[in-house]
């Protein structure tokens, strides 16, 4: 269990002069997604109902995600005292819900569910590493560093259980790759775009997924550096059973990084 909460953070170091507006916008969105962690915890408890050890680990995991949300929200409210976190969180959950009535994984198998969880933790560990390295504001830097460390640990938690289930279910290499890829593509779906909208849009604004997912990606992609992409792709490869540092990884990650830079450049003028 993570040994920190937002009270562990030394808030006296907060420097409002070093708050970057674009980081503030993505941090507000991240706070909403993290704070929603209990919904995922309930979903995982239902999917793994007859595996109490995993269900208990998933419940602890969900509480850690909620704490991430609390720390990020506290920072965002320091940086922008007019921001109403409770109202934004209510707006987010009114428009986006994790399936609450599932009894089996939406990925088709438990191995598949755990691959998807590993992909998500790969995304969050890379993202908070990138935010920590981009942030000039010392408190945000510390929060993102602590969260990134938790997200790497979460990846390991899901990966350990993934190995166990893969031995029982024996999903084919193609099947595993397909699940991993599907979850990566889903990152462009509603959850992040809607969180970005709920956290930042004026009250009268209407949600259009295409606009808000572009606006979010235009901001978020620019924080990544080559080493984040290199490590992130190695982690996804490991989760789907491919060699993490083999030929394919060496050749794929620079292309993925170039794609990200190209996408970020293309998105910026429309989002501005
Ligand atoms: Fe988190
Ligand atoms: Fe996590």
């Amino acid at each position: 269990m993570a040994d920190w909460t937002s009270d562990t953070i030394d808030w006296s170091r907060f420097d409002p002069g070093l708050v970057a507006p674009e980081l503030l916008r993505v941090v507000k969105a991240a706070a909403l997604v993290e704070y929603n962690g209990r919904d995922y915890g309930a979903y995982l408890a239902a999917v793994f109902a007859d595996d109490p050890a995993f269900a208990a680990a998933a419940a602890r995991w969900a509480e850690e995600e909620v704490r991430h949300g609390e720390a990020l929200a506290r920072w965002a409210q320091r940086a922008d005292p007019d921001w109403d976190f409770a109202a934004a969180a209510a707006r987010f959950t009114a428009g986006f819900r994790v399936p609450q009535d599932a009894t089996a994984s939406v990925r088709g198998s438990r191995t598949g569910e755990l691959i998807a969880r590993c992909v998500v933790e790969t995304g969050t560990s890379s993202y908070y590493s990138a935010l920590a390295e981009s942030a000039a504001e010392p408190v945000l830097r510390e929060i993102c560093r602590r969260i990134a460390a938790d997200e790497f640990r979460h990846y390991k938690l899901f990966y350990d259980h993934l190995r166990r289930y893969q031995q029982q279910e024996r999903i084919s290499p193609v099947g595993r790759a397909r699940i991993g890829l599907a979850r990566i593509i889903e990152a462009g779906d509603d959850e992040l775009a809607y969180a970005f909208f709920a956290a930042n849009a004026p009250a009268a604004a209407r949600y259009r997924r295409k606009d808000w997912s572009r606006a979010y990606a235009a901001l978020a992609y620019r924080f990544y550096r080559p080493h984040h992409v290199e490590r992130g792709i190695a982690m996804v490869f490991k989760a789907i059973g491919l060699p993490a540092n083999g030929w394919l990884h060496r050749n794929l990650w620079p292309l993925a990084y170039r794609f990200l830079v190209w996408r970020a450049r293309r998105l910026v003028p429309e989002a501005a």
Side-chain angles (χ1 to χ4, degrees):
M1 188 83 183
D3 53 358
W4 70 282
T5 69
S6 70
D7 291 331
T8 316
I9 307 290
D10 179 5
W11 293 92
S12 70
R13 294 169 64 221
F14 180 74
D15 184 343
L18 292 177
V19 173
E22 67 276 14
L23 265 169
L24 177 58
R25 285 163 72 81
V26 297
V27 165
K28 287 174 178 175
L32 301 186
V33 175
E34 297 273 358
Y35 194 70
N36 210 21
R38 273 187 204 117
D39 277 5
Y40 282 101
Y43 161 75
L44 287 177
V47 170
F48 291 85
D50 62 355
D51 182 347
F54 178 79
R60 286 193 297 275
W61 159 83
E63 291 308 313
E64 292 190 7
E65 301 297 12
V66 172
R67 283 192 202 170
H68 294 168
E70 287 166 351
L72 292 166
R74 192 163 162 184
W75 182 84
Q77 286 179 304
R78 274 284 167 109
D80 175 6
D82 291 335
W83 188 56
D84 186 342
F85 170 63
R91 191 186 199 187
F92 177 56
T93 47
F96 179 84
R97 282 313 276 196
V98 178
Q100 290 298 292
D101 47 1
T103 50
S105 170
V106 295
R107 312 285 157 194
S109 65
R110 291 180 175 189
T111 302
E113 183 61 45
L114 292 164
I115 290 172
R117 296 321 316 172
C118 284
V119 169
V120 171
E121 300 296 346
T122 299
T124 53
S125 57
S126 311
Y127 189 47
Y128 290 109
S129 299
L131 294 187
E133 288 167 39
S134 302
E137 201 294 305
V139 175
L140 181 62
R141 237 183 141 79
E142 184 189 345
I143 292 171
C144 290
R145 268 202 207 117
R146 285 177 181 271
I147 295 179
D150 287 350
E151 310 297 15
F152 283 113
R153 198 162 37 73
H154 293 166
Y155 173 92
K156 186 169 184 318
L157 165 76
F158 291 124
Y159 181 72
D160 289 345
H161 289 279
L162 163 61
R163 284 176 55 176
R164 183 162 63 83
Y165 275 102
Q166 170 61 9
Q167 281 180 1
Q168 299 166 20
E169 296 180 328
R170 304 222 167 258
I171 308 292
S172 72
V174 172
R176 283 184 282 165
R178 193 184 295 142
I179 293 162
L181 198 62
R183 188 59 191 84
I184 291 170
I185 291 167
E186 265 173 48
D189 277 6
D190 262 346
E191 184 173 23
L192 294 171
Y194 196 75
F196 192 62
F197 165 82
N200 292 294
R206 290 219 7 242
Y207 178 65
R208 280 191 51 207
R209 176 166 135 194
K210 191 161 161 269
D211 296 346
W212 285 93
S213 77
R214 287 177 77 101
Y216 174 73
L219 276 188
Y221 287 1
R222 69 168 76 162
F223 300 115
Y224 290 102
R225 298 292 170 263
H227 62 280
H228 304 123
V229 177
E230 180 181 10
R231 185 175 48 193
I233 292 193
M235 288 166 73
V236 171
F237 270 30
K238 190 173 152 184
I240 62 178
L242 284 171
N245 287 302
W247 179 90
L248 190 59
H249 174 259
R250 270 199 311 281
N251 287 279
L252 188 69
W253 82 257
L255 293 177
Y257 179 68
R258 254 184 269 161
F259 174 76
L260 206 68
V261 170
W262 173 80
R263 263 310 265 164
R265 284 213 189 106
R266 253 172 58 101
L267 290 168
V268 166
E270 281 196 48

